[in-house]
Amino acid sequence: SAVISQKPSRDICQRGTSLTIQCQVDSQVTMMFWYRQQPGQSLTLIATANQGSEATYESGFVIDKFPISRPNLTFSTLTVSNMSPEDSSIYLCSVRDQGQPQHFGDGTRLSIL
Amino acid sequence: QKEVEQDPGPLSVPEGAIVSLNCTYSNSAFQYFMWYRQYSRKGPELLMYTYSSGNKEDGRFTAQVDKSSKYISLFIRDSQPSDSATYLCAMGSGGYQKVTFGTGTKLQVIP
């Protein structure tokens, strides 16, 4: 399966600032996704990152808060904008190829002070 | 009612025990089923996936799906301390694109 690298692995940020998380895959993949994982809750899909076009956001998530880029088939970024303590969470990148289940990176652990 | 229900545990078992982890679901459209293992400070790692009802075995792990009861299980034989992790069930329809996850069951295997 693809090797997925996420940067940074963790960060502590001040409220009102923004952080960009990078996801790099070692091979071209069809689909890339961004999830949020909060304690005691299931993984929540934020959006599907589409190569060369705007991401597809799930209900409750908007582009102004979580802008996403996917310039090619191996790389995507998620920005968490104007952060508040409620944004403290683990953010996970996942990838999927044709007919295969999703595989995940190790996540970015984000704390907002 | 959540689409996928999973007991959060924690579940503590002695080394060598058989572990049974379970999920129930309500959406009849789910066609494929997965189990992920997540170690502390790591991302979910795909353990097993299956399309059909019945059993699928891989080493010490057996995934069982009962579509008529909307119930899936993961059995771990001869459990080891290295099996201590959170286990997430996941299921979906329509080609793996839209996947619904359980909340995860935390397992601790005690030496």
Side-chain angles (χ1 to χ4, degrees):
Chain A
S1 59
V3 176
I4 305 162
S5 302
Q6 259 188 259
K7 291 182 181 179
S9 58
R10 62 182 304 166
D11 209 338
I12 301 172
C13 300
Q14 297 293 323
R15 69 175 67 201
T17 63
S18 298
L19 178 74
T20 296
I21 302 168
Q22 298 181 0
C23 179
Q24 178 74 55
V25 193
D26 69 344
S27 60
Q28 293 185 347
V29 291
T30 308
M31 308 290 291
M32 296 182 77
F33 306 92
W34 288 98
Y35 284 84
R36 184 169 70 184
Q37 185 178 31
Q38 295 180 312
Q41 298 184 25
S42 57
L43 274 71
T44 302
L45 180 63
I46 297 171
T48 302
N50 299 310
Q51 193 260 330
S53 64
E54 193 171 286
T56 303
Y57 289 85
E58 297 298 305
S59 176
F61 298 97
V62 295
I63 188 171
D64 289 346
K65 177 67 175 177
F66 297 101
I68 288 171
S69 78
R70 190 177 174 194
N72 56 51
L73 293 177
T74 63
F75 185 77
S76 178
T77 66
L78 168 74
T79 299
V80 186
S81 303
N82 188 24
M83 288 184 286
S84 65
E86 293 71 35
D87 296 320
S88 297
S89 188
I90 300 172
Y91 292 86
L92 291 157
C93 168
S94 78
V95 304
R96 180 180 74 82
D97 239 339
Q98 293 280 6
Q100 295 296 315
Q102 293 180 35
H103 294 269
F104 288 85
D106 279 339
T108 296
R109 281 146 187 83
L110 181 58
S111 298
I112 315 302
L113 301 179
Chain B
Q1 181 188 9
K2 291 182 181 178
E3 274 194 300
V4 178
E5 299 274 4
Q6 185 175 11
D7 188 332
L11 178 63
S12 291
V13 301
E15 182 176 354
I18 296 174
V19 176
S20 172
L21 303 166
N22 311 294
C23 287
T24 59
Y25 63 95
S26 58
N27 189 345
S28 309
F30 288 143
Q31 298 172 331
Y32 54 89
F33 306 88
M34 294 154 286
W35 285 96
Y36 288 85
R37 176 176 62 195
Q38 187 172 21
Y39 290 115
S40 180
R41 302 188 182 283
K42 293 289 188 181
E45 170 196 9
L46 181 67
L47 269 181
M48 299 186 73
Y49 65 98
T50 180
Y51 282 101
S52 56
S53 282
N55 294 352
K56 181 177 181 179
E57 190 173 319
D58 184 0
R60 295 185 295 111
F61 298 90
T62 300
Q64 188 176 79
V65 174
D66 182 347
K67 289 186 179 180
S68 61
S69 301
K70 298 190 181 67
Y71 189 89
I72 69 170
S73 300
L74 178 70
F75 298 98
I76 307 174
R77 290 184 298 281
D78 186 25
S79 56
Q80 302 295 309
S82 58
D83 295 326
S84 298
T86 297
Y87 290 80
L88 302 161
C89 64
M91 47 200 78
S93 57
Y96 288 121
Q97 183 150 342
K98 196 65 181 286
V99 176
T100 302
F101 290 84
T103 51
T105 299
K106 187 171 184 178
L107 171 67
Q108 184 178 19
V109 181
I110 302 167

